[in-house]
Amino acid sequence: GGGGAAVPPATDNVTNNPADKRTTADLTPAVKDNKAETTVDAKTADKIVDRALENKSTKIIIDAAGNNTVVSSEVAVPEKTVKELAEKTDASLVIKTDNGKVDLDKTALDAVAAQAGNTGFIRLIIETIKSDENICHVNLKLITSNGAVKDFRGGNVKVTINLDKELAAKDVVCVYINDNGIYTLVNGQKNADGTYTFTTGHFSEYAVMAKEEADKKIAEQLNTLIKDVNIKV
């Protein structure tokens, strides 16, 4: 280019795809002590809101996955950004991490915004408690400055987690594990790429496991419950 040519802008970390109405922010996690941590800075946060509005985006993706093998991933998004997205757009919010990805539908995003403060961060934490050929056990948390959001008030969150190759080859199911350690089956499906996606209305602990293992565990729990009831009677 001849004299006075404009300097090309540095590659932008927030891009719009007008065709499929997506706004994507690309971020690189900082990895320390087996944890990947990513904070959406104020400048990026403002760009996400501006571009999403400009593009009338229906999906906003915060991509903080960096191909790291870590025990947990945490992504922090400013509360005010989440509130703006909930108020001004009809978009769902997808957060991708090295331990999995979550896709909060519009109702879930509104519920998180309603339960959040104004000046802090909303932190998504995906912790892999155990991952081997029999189970992928994860703990999911969304924490705002007002505390943890457990209930999405009728909204749904799609969670996709990576399975160990041997586990992905098996017939698997997903279970929700409550505070008393009771397993309940959850709808979900295995994807062609060896990941597994399930949908939930609240966050806590979940496990994708070999179907026969889950069946065995649930049957044992049922027997215990029946015994307890009979003893009480």
Side-chain angles (χ1 to χ4, degrees):
V7 178
T11 53
D12 203 317
N13 68 329
V14 183
T15 51
N16 275 340
N17 183 329
D20 63 8
K21 290 276 173 254
R22 285 169 185 226
T23 298
T24 304
D26 276 303
L27 298 155
T28 306
V31 179
K32 188 175 172 246
D33 301 334
N34 229 337
K35 276 183 77 171
E37 293 190 353
T38 311
T39 301
V40 177
D41 60 282
K43 193 177 155 192
T44 301
D46 288 343
K47 280 197 285 195
I48 292 170
V49 176
D50 292 345
R51 306 248 156 110
L53 289 174
E54 180 190 308
N55 195 40
K56 294 188 174 59
S57 293
T58 54
K59 214 177 248 316
I60 292 153
I61 300 160
I62 295 173
D63 189 344
N67 288 325
N68 302 293
T69 306
V70 285
V71 170
S72 76
S73 290
E74 181 176 311
V75 179
V77 187
E79 288 178 319
K80 93 176 176 60
T81 306
V82 173
K83 291 200 174 219
E84 282 186 78
L85 293 174
E87 283 161 23
K88 298 177 181 174
T89 78
D90 290 321
S92 63
L93 175 65
V94 178
I95 301 176
K96 295 181 179 178
T97 79
D98 286 318
N99 292 71
K101 76 170 181 184
V102 300
D103 182 341
L104 296 113
D105 70 10
K106 171 72 177 143
T107 308
L109 184 63
D110 289 350
V112 173
Q115 293 173 70
N118 297 303
T119 55
F121 285 90
I122 291 172
R123 297 174 192 281
L124 167 73
I125 300 162
I126 305 180
E127 181 192 359
T128 306
I129 295 167
K130 191 175 181 194
S131 179
D132 60 25
E133 70 278 6
N134 294 315
I135 194 167
C136 182
H137 181 174
V138 295
N139 192 2
L140 300 165
K141 292 179 194 156
L142 254 180
I143 299 167
T144 75
S145 61
N146 290 333
V149 176
K150 297 250 167 148
D151 184 6
F152 299 115
R153 300 180 180 171
N156 279 312
V157 181
K158 264 178 29 196
V159 180
T160 302
I161 53 174
N162 312 323
L163 305 183
D164 183 275
K165 277 194 182 63
E166 280 97 348
L167 180 59
K170 295 180 178 175
D171 182 13
V172 292
V173 292
C174 182
V175 293
Y176 154 58
I177 305 169
N178 76 4
D179 294 342
N180 301 320
I182 300 292
Y183 287 40
T184 309
L185 286 170
V186 175
N187 278 333
Q189 76 279 330
K190 193 162 62 175
N191 307 309
D193 61 0
T195 61
Y196 189 96
T197 302
F198 61 92
T199 303
T200 175
H202 53 92
F203 269 6
S204 84
E205 293 189 25
Y206 292 86
V208 174
M209 55 199 295
K211 186 178 184 307
E212 53 186 289
E213 292 294 317
D215 288 347
K216 212 160 70 183
K217 183 87 182 168
I218 290 167
E220 276 168 19
Q221 289 181 338
L222 201 60
N223 283 335
T224 310
L225 283 173
I226 292 166
K227 278 199 197 96
D228 288 353
V229 170
N230 286 342
I231 290 165
K232 285 189 188 107
V233 171

